[in-house]
Amino acid sequence: GESVGLHLPTLSVQEGDNSIINCAYSNSASDYFIWYKQESGKGPQFIIDIRSNMDKRQGQRVTVLLNKTVKHLSLQIAATQPGDSAVYFCAERPSNDYKLSFGAGTTVTVRA
Amino acid sequence: EAGVAQSPRYKIIEKRQSVAFWCNPISGHATLYWYQQILGQGPKLLIQFQNNGVVDDSQLPKDRFSAERLKGVDSTLKIQPAKLEDSAVYLCASSGTLDQPQHFGDGTRLSIL
C-alpha cells in the first residue's frame, strides 16, 4: 500500500539553529497532513497540521510547508532548543478515509 | 483540559496469557483510536470508534485482539492469547470529530516473555 516516509532517520542540530525535517508521501489522494513530536516514554504530541488547499502554515516557532507537485512535506523549527530533541512523525490522511498513516519518524538531537 | 488517560503504563506477561488496556479519552471527544507502536516505527492504527460504534477495524488481528467502547466514553483493548510479536506500546488517541487532530495518551508498554 502507499505510505508516508521521512527522508532522514536522524538529524543533529546545533542549539539556536533552524531545523528542517522532511517527509515524502506517495498517496496523491491525501488531503490532510499532520506533524507529531514524540519524546521518550510519551505519546505523540500534536504540533501542527495542514490541508491540501494550503501550501504553508505557521505556528509558534514551527512552519509546515506542503508541495503537492512533488508530494513533499516539511517541518521547520526556528531557533531549535534542547527541548525540541525528540522523534518527529509526519502522517497523512486520504480524502476518502479518516485513517492516519504514519511514517517511520526522524530523530532530532539538539547539540548544546 | 485533561489529556487522554491510559493504564497501566507498563505490563509484562508471558506468551499465551491475556492482557487488557484501558483508555479514557479527552472529555467530549466522540472519536477514539487504538494504535500499536513497535519500537523504532510509527504508530499503526488497530481500531477506530465513533461514539460506541466501530468505524474501522481492518487492521485489528481479530483472532486475538478485541476492543470495545460500550458507553461511548472509555475503551478497553484486549489481547488473548498474547504472542511474542505483540510486544509494543499501545497508544490510545481521541479527537472531537473524525476530521480533527488526534491527541494521544502516553501509552501502555507491553512486554511479552
Side-chain angles (χ1 to χ4, degrees):
Chain A
E2 300 191 270
S3 63
V4 177
L6 290 164
H7 289 304
L8 293 172
T10 61
L11 179 67
S12 180
V13 183
Q14 185 67 39
E15 182 179 357
D17 287 353
N18 296 334
S19 304
I20 299 176
I21 307 166
N22 295 305
C23 179
Y25 66 96
S26 58
N27 189 347
S28 56
S30 293
D31 69 348
Y32 176 75
F33 305 86
I34 189 166
W35 282 98
Y36 284 95
K37 171 187 179 183
Q38 188 171 28
E39 295 175 275
S40 181
K42 295 193 173 183
Q45 176 188 357
F46 170 75
I47 301 173
I48 193 167
D49 58 359
I50 188 168
R51 298 187 187 275
S52 59
N53 60 352
M54 303 173 69
D55 54 20
K56 181 179 181 179
R57 192 168 186 216
Q58 289 184 293
Q60 187 177 11
R61 280 201 308 119
V62 294
T63 301
V64 57
L65 298 177
L66 175 61
N67 185 330
K68 295 181 287 293
T69 303
V70 295
K71 299 192 188 70
H72 183 269
L73 187 71
S74 68
L75 178 71
Q76 300 178 2
I77 305 173
T80 310
Q81 303 169 359
D84 295 326
S85 293
V87 180
Y88 289 79
F89 292 98
C90 65
E92 54 117 6
R93 190 182 71 200
S95 57
N96 61 348
D97 198 349
Y98 288 106
K99 188 185 306 180
L100 273 182
S101 294
F102 284 79
T106 291
T107 300
V108 173
T109 303
V110 180
R111 307 187 307 271
Chain B
E1 77 185 345
V4 176
Q6 291 189 247
S7 68
R9 289 284 283 125
Y10 305 93
K11 190 74 177 178
I12 301 173
I13 62 171
E14 295 184 347
K15 61 183 179 183
R16 291 188 289 275
Q17 287 187 323
S18 62
V19 64
F21 314 122
W22 174 82
C23 173
N24 182 248
I26 292 172
S27 178
H29 278 192
T31 311
L32 185 147
Y33 313 79
W34 283 102
Y35 287 84
Q36 180 192 61
Q37 186 176 25
I38 292 171
L39 186 65
Q41 299 180 17
K44 185 187 86 169
L45 180 69
L46 293 174
I47 188 167
Q48 180 176 329
F49 292 93
Q50 176 73 4
N51 296 310
N52 60 350
V54 175
V55 174
D56 188 328
D57 63 357
S58 58
Q59 297 186 91
L60 188 73
K62 298 180 189 61
D63 57 333
R64 298 184 301 105
F65 286 64
S66 64
E68 60 184 15
R69 194 185 184 200
L70 294 176
K71 297 183 179 179
V73 180
D74 293 6
S75 177
T76 57
L77 175 70
K78 296 179 182 178
I79 307 175
Q80 182 180 7
K83 292 185 175 182
L84 292 175
E85 62 259 34
D86 298 332
S87 292
V89 175
Y90 290 86
L91 295 162
C92 179
S94 70
S95 62
T97 65
L98 286 168
D99 198 39
Q100 291 178 330
Q102 298 176 27
H103 296 273
F104 285 80
D106 286 337
T108 296
R109 183 176 297 277
L110 175 66
S111 297
I112 312 293
L113 304 179

